[in-house]
């Protein structure tokens, strides 16, 4: 259990599956959110993630996993860490 309450993020697949793109919304924070997507075409050992805000402005890139990518988006919006990831439909 975290020592302090965190923020819950809902990830939802957006677009075709081959786009590897997910929207991110934060529970209780309707104005915060954005997108996480792969920087390359398809998964590979050299793939990393790009994070953008809801307007499409890049927040950062080079994240190894969704947890770190979504935490960067949460920090950008001034939300409290840790971030708990929840996937629409239960699919990671």
């Amino acid at each position: 259990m975290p020592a302090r309450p965190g923020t819950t993020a809902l990830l939802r697949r957006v677009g075709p599956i081959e786009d590897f793109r997910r929207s991110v919304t934060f529970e209780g924070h309707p104005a915060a959110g954005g997108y996480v997507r792969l920087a390359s075409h398809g998964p590979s050992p050299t793939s990393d993630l790009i994070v953008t805000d809801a307007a499409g402005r890049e927040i950062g890139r080079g994240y190894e996993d969704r947890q770190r990518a979504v935490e960067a988006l949460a920090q950008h919006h001034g939300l409290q860490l840790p971030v708990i990831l929840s996937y629409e439909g239960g699919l990671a």
Side-chain angles (χ1 to χ4, degrees):
M1 295 292 294
R4 57 185 178 176
T7 303
T8 299
L10 176 64
L11 284 83
R12 176 181 297 121
R13 186 172 44 230
V14 179
I17 194 166
E18 62 270 11
D19 285 353
F20 299 99
R21 183 174 183 232
R22 300 221 181 231
S23 69
V24 180
T25 56
F26 295 100
E27 187 176 279
H29 304 280
Y35 299 91
V36 174
R37 68 174 174 84
L38 278 178
S40 66
H41 300 291
S44 77
T46 60
S47 292
D48 57 10
L49 297 168
I50 296 173
V51 177
T52 58
D53 65 13
R57 292 180 295 263
E58 188 173 308
I59 302 304
R61 62 176 52 224
Y63 303 101
E64 296 174 5
D65 58 41
R66 288 188 193 127
Q67 183 70 42
R68 290 184 179 131
V70 174
E71 285 175 351
L73 184 59
Q75 286 180 316
H76 170 76
H77 288 294
L79 303 178
Q80 190 166 1
L81 299 180
V83 175
I84 299 132
L85 302 184
S86 176
Y87 293 89
E88 182 178 75
L91 302 174

